[in-house]
Amino acid sequence: MQNKKKLELLAPAGDLEKLKIAVLYGADAVYIGGEAYGLRAKAKNFDIDTMAEGVKFAHDHGVKVYVTANIFAHNPDFEGMADYFKAVEAIGVDALIISDLGVFSVAKEAVPNMEIHVSTQANNTNYKSAQMWYKLGAQRVVVARELSMKEIRQIRDSIPEDMEIEAFVHGAMCISYSGRCLLSNYLAGRDANKGACAHPCRWKYHLVEETRPGEYMPIEENERGTYIYNSKDLCMIEHIPDIAKAGIYSLKIEGRMKTPFYVGTVVKAYRQAIDDYFADPKLYEKRLPYYLAEVSKASHRDYTTAFYYGKPDGNQQVYTNNSYIREYDFIGMVQEDWNEETGFAWVEQRNKFSVGEEIEVMPAQGDSYAMKVTEIRNQNGETVASAPHPQELLQVKFEKPVKKFDMLRKRPTDVK
């Protein structure tokens, strides 16, 4: 059954700046973490005050906010949890994302009128579990990343029409089943299931024979070693029609730990792809190379469709390194709207750029465009040749109007 309503684009927001970028660049909803109970403890996350500011900003732009509370709770975790949920509800958060049945029960008792979405951490791999969550009061289920399109269609056809399906469509893949992993806890003492994953799946591994300690043997015979757990990144931007036909409603982008540039770039590309598909499927087909080129301008690993079209065959891993592909540098963000009289706008520098270089302006709305940097001024109004200092505020001359939160990017000198 295809969705009767337009797809929701759900974006990550690791802090307030990223939330605002996700909203302005086209997200229909954002998911954020509070200071407790979420699975991204290393993200800056939101205290109640910044969460309230973020919710107001999002709601002013017609965007929903979902808060993660998807840890696997231990007994001490329940202290203060009910009060936290009540505070979150009071500031207008639209839904909680929960994986643990005990946490679910606390939420239903503390905030009975609040929407609950069942996290992918709950291993939602079949329609029976989705039906059970619905009976308990969940409005949405986030399906496991190990499911195929066919399996998701079967779930959609077997659950109530008003229950929504959310699925990851872009970003880093977890090597462990739907993110339930004990490797980090065992190797680094950091519990992935309580938000502190050390990402050991990205490390290089060798074999050691017990009678020969200190003698490391490559797992795969290669002078560069091997990264046996290192998955490629998920990218489904070329498969929007299949996503819609499978009955997926919410398209989730991974990346609360990623940069503002990543969030803006990926969200904007998916926004354009979804809008083009619903306006004119032929236009969407025609622009497929453009969408893929755009998401590739954000730092990424090689792309894969993961489990959507069948079980992985080994080509979904990157065995030679754990680094990212970086085709563009994020060099600056506009801090206030363009001054029509002077042609300048204030920019916060994020990477070095110089007069004479060709850069790209990526506006929140509309197509990106190239321009040459003709003039830069420092905070004293003095003309300078380059912007070498991190987060320095500068005036940059633009050929066209720019707005706050528009971003600047350029190709690194080592990329041809």
Side-chain angles (χ1 to χ4, degrees), residues 165-186:
I165 291 179
E166 177 181 310
F168 282 94
V169 298
H170 195 93
M173 292 287 291
C174 184
I175 196 68
S176 190
Y177 210 79
S178 289
R180 287 195 174 194
C181 187
L182 303 175
L183 198 58
S184 176
N185 205 355
Y186 180 75

Side-chain angles (χ1 to χ4, degrees), residues 315-373:
N315 291 320
Q316 285 73 24
Q317 302 294 110
V318 181
Y319 297 105
T320 56
N321 65 79
N322 67 344
S323 61
Y324 286 89
I325 299 168
R326 183 173 56 88
E327 296 182 355
Y328 278 76
D329 281 335
F330 173 32
I331 60 171
M333 184 181 297
V334 176
Q335 297 299 300
E336 63 178 35
D337 292 356
W338 183 67
N339 186 315
E340 186 176 359
E341 293 182 5
T342 66
F344 284 87
W346 285 100
V347 170
E348 184 182 74
Q349 186 260 32
R350 298 298 176 96
N351 275 292
K352 183 180 178 180
F353 63 97
S354 304
V355 171
E357 286 188 307
E358 185 171 280
I359 65 172
E360 278 192 20
V361 179
M362 184 176 72
Q365 304 294 324
D367 291 336
S368 301
Y369 59 91
M371 61 165 267
K372 182 173 284 189
V373 180

Side-chain angles (χ1 to χ4, degrees), residues 31-85:
Y31 63 101
I32 68 176
E35 293 184 307
Y37 311 122
L39 286 182
R40 285 294 180 267
K42 290 176 68 178
K44 291 182 180 179
N45 293 320
F46 292 74
D47 59 25
I48 289 297
D49 290 337
T50 55
M51 190 181 292
E53 183 180 347
V55 169
K56 183 181 186 308
F57 183 90
H59 287 179
D60 286 347
H61 290 81
V63 173
K64 294 182 178 181
V65 179
Y66 310 143
V67 170
T68 59
N70 55 345
I71 62 166
F72 295 137
H74 291 246
N75 293 330
D77 293 318
F78 292 102
E79 184 177 348
M81 185 180 288
D83 290 337
Y84 173 73
F85 289 157

Side-chain angles (χ1 to χ4, degrees), residues 11-197:
D15 58 32
L16 188 58
E17 181 185 53
K18 294 172 192 174
L19 181 149
K20 292 179 179 180
I21 288 170
V23 168
L24 295 173
Y25 279 74
D28 297 304
V30 297
Y31 63 101
I32 68 176
E35 293 184 307
Y37 311 122
L39 286 182
R40 285 294 180 267
K42 290 176 68 178
K44 291 182 180 179
N45 293 320
F46 292 74
D47 59 25
I48 289 297
D49 290 337
T50 55
M51 190 181 292
E53 183 180 347
V55 169
K56 183 181 186 308
F57 183 90
H59 287 179
D60 286 347
H61 290 81
V63 173
K64 294 182 178 181
V65 179
Y66 310 143
V67 170
T68 59
N70 55 345
I71 62 166
F72 295 137
H74 291 246
N75 293 330
D77 293 318
F78 292 102
E79 184 177 348
M81 185 180 288
D83 290 337
Y84 173 73
F85 289 157
K86 290 175 182 176
V88 165
E89 181 186 46
I91 62 175
V93 167
D94 297 281
L96 294 169
I97 305 172
I98 291 173
S99 60
D100 182 270
L101 190 58
V103 177
F104 189 101
S105 69
V106 172
K108 291 304 292 182
E109 183 175 338
V111 286
N113 297 318
M114 196 166 190
E115 272 198 25
I116 297 180
H117 301 169
V118 183
S119 171
T120 190
Q121 298 293 124
N123 298 137
N124 302 305
T125 59
N126 61 80
Y127 67 88
K128 284 290 187 182
S129 64
Q131 290 173 348
M132 194 66 230
W133 283 116
Y134 181 81
K135 291 176 182 177
L136 291 172
Q139 284 77 27
R140 179 183 296 188
V141 63
V142 187
V143 293
R145 280 178 263 199
E146 293 78 18
L147 295 185
S148 66
M149 289 288 188
K150 180 180 178 181
E151 290 173 304
I152 295 171
R153 279 195 296 269
Q154 290 170 340
I155 293 174
R156 175 68 273 168
D157 292 340
S158 303
I159 61 176
E161 188 173 342
D162 62 337
M163 188 180 202
E164 297 168 344
I165 291 179
E166 177 181 310
F168 282 94
V169 298
H170 195 93
M173 292 287 291
C174 184
I175 196 68
S176 190
Y177 210 79
S178 289
R180 287 195 174 194
C181 187
L182 303 175
L183 198 58
S184 176
N185 205 355
Y186 180 75
L187 294 177
R190 289 168 49 180
D191 192 344
N193 299 312
K194 296 192 75 176
C197 184

Side-chain angles (χ1 to χ4, degrees), residues 254-314:
E254 180 274 338
R256 277 192 289 145
M257 299 289 291
K258 300 290 180 67
T259 66
F261 178 62
Y262 171 93
V263 173
T265 301
V266 175
V267 167
K268 183 177 179 181
Y270 274 86
R271 175 79 279 147
Q272 291 175 317
I274 292 168
D275 289 349
D276 287 348
Y277 171 68
F278 278 89
D280 181 359
K282 289 184 179 179
L283 174 63
Y284 167 80
E285 291 287 339
K286 181 179 179 181
R287 284 166 59 88
L288 285 175
Y290 165 78
Y291 310 137
L292 188 59
E294 284 300 299
V295 294
S296 296
K297 290 178 180 178
S299 181
H300 66 284
R301 300 179 183 90
D302 288 331
Y303 286 133
T304 175
T305 56
F307 291 79
Y308 276 109
Y309 297 102
K311 294 191 182 298
D313 58 8

